[in-house]
Amino acid sequence: MDHRRRRNLAVEAFTVVLLLNQFVNVNGSKYPCEFPAVFNFGDSNSDTGGLSAAFGQAQPPNGESFFQRPAGRYCDGRLVIDFIAQSFRLPYLSAYLDALGSNFTHGANFATAGSTIRPQNTTLSQSGSSPFSLNVQWYQFNDFHGRVRNFRSQKGDEIFKRLMPKTKDFSNALYTFDIGQNDLTAGLFQNLSIDQVRASVPDIVGQFKTVIKDIYNQGGRSFWIHNTGPFGCLPYVIARPLSTNGQVDKYGCVGPYNDLAQYFNRQLKETVGQLRKDLHKAVITYVDVYSIKFALITQATQHGFEHPLRACCGHGGKYNYNMHVGCGGKVKVKGKEILVGKSCKDPTVAVSWDGVHYTQAANKWIFDQIVDGSFSDTNIPLRLACHKQY
Ligand SMILES: *[C@@H]1O[C@H](CO)[C@@H](O)[C@H](O)[C@H]1NC(C)=O
Ligand SMILES: *[C@@H]1O[C@H](CO)[C@@H](O)[C@H](O)[C@H]1NC(C)=O
Ligand SMILES: *[C@@H]1O[C@H](CO)[C@@H](O)[C@H](O)[C@H]1NC(C)=O
């Protein structure tokens, strides 16, 4: 190789490095986002105390693996949203509905267990659907946002100002969503056919879209959206006599229900695509939590877990789940009342906490899969979820 060619190659290599540097800088993706706040919307997958505040506390042994007492979560410990907040070095989110002891400086949680996207026509006691559907969570967020602006524009009220975000935090915050599963199960549990529920999916994702657009119009820019999980693999669904007619797939799951979840997810993903086109300044990340949860359940042993279809805290039957008495409730056995408590030996290797919700160990595992972006449709890691990469 003559000298000139060698020099040219060196120059070329140098130029490539320069270009790469420039690319990374222009892209901005090098810098973590430093979200000052997280605002979360959802169901029990991310409820940190909402339903408990409105309808009575989750009972022991909920919370015992981490908080040593019930902490408004339907779990033995922390949820994915807790690990998300923790990863930004933010405190765990206070439930918006929690009147005492809450501190909203770094965000608020509007999620409640049993929440749906669409308002339901049945009450909590009839069907288990929370009255705090996504549209109500959005009213609450609007009110919260408006009050913060009012307080911040007035003199005085210093005490309250130490409990709320700054006005500009609303545009720099991360908005997280994990909701939709209960819309599907609500229909199925009301004996609608899978096809009937499927037909309602466009309306469900349409209402979801409306909320995202409005938050964007209020200044929200970074959105982190979880799709819905394989609820056909959850004990509370499989154990319902009608849901299977005895038919389960090779994993023990109700395949057609998982197909319905996937159908919802495809529509949700499409909606996210439309939102990206409509909302130019938004960074919207769609996270395939379905695949993570499905892998956890169907390859549990491989990932260090066991008995993925058995509730850890429950009572009776193949799934250790009783649809009439949940974890922390009381059940009569041979005339004696006993507490439905933890019956698995080790919740750190259990997937299902109470037949409906995942254990803290499962939630941590799920979080570990989503944090680096491998399951985001833009491959964007959580800490970079304010950067546009598509
Ligand atoms: C509730 O009832 C209204 C009026 O009949 C209907 O339009 C709506 O779709 C129903 N909601 C659900 C979730 O079924
Ligand atoms: C609420 O939390 C923030 C940040 O963690 C802290 O600075 C503030 O003092 C807290 N408010 C009160 C009233 O303790
Ligand atoms: C659904 O069907 C089952 C069996 O026919 C019945 O027991 C149950 O009450 C029905 N549920 C609703 C909400 O209609």
Side-chain angles (χ1 to χ4, degrees):
M1 195 189 285
D2 68 47
H3 283 292
R4 225 171 67 203
R5 248 189 93 198
R6 211 177 273 193
R7 224 191 77 190
N8 277 348
L9 273 180
V11 168
E12 262 165 38
F14 184 60
T15 314
V16 167
V17 170
L18 271 184
L19 280 174
L20 269 177
N21 265 339
Q22 200 176 18
F23 173 74
V24 171
N25 285 336
V26 165
N27 200 297
S29 61
K30 258 176 145 178
Y31 313 107
C33 301
E34 294 185 19
F35 296 112
V38 174
F39 296 106
N40 181 66
F41 302 79
D43 56 26
S44 55
N45 286 314
S46 60
D47 180 359
T48 56
L51 197 78
S52 284
F55 290 96
Q57 282 296 318
Q59 294 298 310
N62 282 297
E64 72 166 27
S65 299
F66 184 75
F67 302 99
Q68 277 84 49
R69 59 186 168 80
R73 291 153 176 84
Y74 298 90
C75 181
D76 59 318
R78 286 161 292 177
L79 310 177
V80 173
I81 189 67
D82 293 315
F83 293 114
I84 289 179
Q86 197 176 309
S87 76
F88 298 132
R89 300 206 176 83
L90 300 178
Y92 300 132
L93 294 184
S94 291
Y96 170 78
L97 290 166
D98 242 339
L100 273 180
S102 290
N103 186 337
F104 301 113
T105 304
H106 295 296
N109 191 355
F110 301 90
T112 73
S115 286
T116 49
I117 292 172
R118 293 198 303 175
Q120 300 296 303
N121 296 317
T122 52
T123 65
L124 184 76
S125 59
Q126 286 168 327
S127 64
S129 291
S130 162
F132 306 102
S133 44
L134 184 61
N135 61 320
V136 179
Q137 295 181 25
W138 169 55
Y139 299 144
Q140 293 174 330
F141 170 76
N142 291 344
D143 193 51
F144 180 80
H145 193 183
R147 279 172 189 242
V148 170
R149 276 190 307 238
N150 283 343
F151 274 115
R152 291 281 176 205
S153 64
Q154 289 161 12
K155 283 215 166 69
D157 297 321
E158 292 309 319
I159 295 174
F160 297 124
K161 286 179 189 164
R162 281 177 43 210
L163 294 167
M164 63 175 67
K166 298 189 175 64
T167 310
K168 67 176 184 339
D169 292 347
F170 286 87
S171 44
N172 297 325
L174 182 66
Y175 290 84
T176 53
F177 295 81
D178 191 324
I179 193 161
Q181 174 178 320
N182 294 324
D183 289 85
L184 308 177
T185 56
L188 296 170
F189 294 172
Q190 282 163 40
N191 293 342
L192 296 185
S193 70
I194 289 178
D195 283 341
Q196 283 170 315
V197 177
R198 192 185 284 257
S200 67
V201 169
D203 187 31
I204 297 169
V205 296
Q207 297 199 21
F208 181 83
K209 188 176 174 188
T210 304
V211 170
I212 303 283
K213 279 193 166 170
D214 190 78
I215 293 173
Y216 177 86
N217 290 335
Q218 292 186 41
R221 290 296 176 262
S222 303
F223 299 87
W224 182 266
I225 299 169
H226 291 179
N227 71 3
T228 204
F231 67 89
C233 296
L234 302 183
Y236 86 112
V237 170
I238 317 172
R240 291 178 81 92
L242 273 177
S243 52
T244 59
N245 300 317
Q247 296 287 307
V248 290
D249 63 17
K250 62 177 171 179
Y251 305 111
C253 305
V254 189
Y257 286 2
N258 285 344
D259 294 343
L260 178 63
Q262 291 282 54
Y263 178 75
F264 170 86
N265 288 339
R266 281 194 297 276
Q267 297 243 334
L268 182 67
K269 191 170 178 179
E270 219 171 86
T271 300
V272 166
Q274 287 163 12
L275 284 166
R276 284 185 189 136
K277 285 201 193 103
D278 295 349
L279 314 177
H280 296 286
K281 292 181 194 149
V283 179
I284 312 177
T285 310
Y286 169 93
V287 189
D288 184 14
V289 173
Y290 179 99
S291 296
I292 299 170
K293 289 179 171 173
F294 191 72
L296 174 61
I297 292 169
T298 58
Q299 304 157 13
T301 320
Q302 217 170 299
H303 300 304
F305 290 83
E306 52 186 42
H307 308 304
L309 301 183
R310 262 183 86 76
C312 173
C313 180
H315 181 83
K318 188 173 166 193
Y319 305 103
N320 194 36
Y321 176 79
N322 178 335
M323 68 182 278
H324 304 292
V325 194
C327 176
K330 291 201 174 84
V331 67
K332 262 206 169 122
V333 180
K334 293 179 188 150
K336 263 173 74 182
E337 244 191 10
I338 61 161
L339 176 79
V340 176
K342 192 176 73 188
S343 49
C344 72
K345 269 194 233 89
D346 183 3
T348 67
V349 295
V351 172
S352 181
W353 167 239
D354 57 4
V356 186
H357 309 104
Y358 293 81
T359 57
Q360 167 175 265
N363 288 331
K364 175 66 168 59
W365 191 84
I366 295 161
F367 169 77
D368 288 343
Q369 311 305 306
I370 62 181
V371 69
D372 69 354
S374 359
F375 289 87
S376 308
D377 64 338
T378 51
N379 285 327
I380 208 163
L382 181 61
R383 72 197 161 80
L384 302 180
C386 62
H387 298 296
K388 216 165 180 156
Q389 285 203 322
Y390 38 84

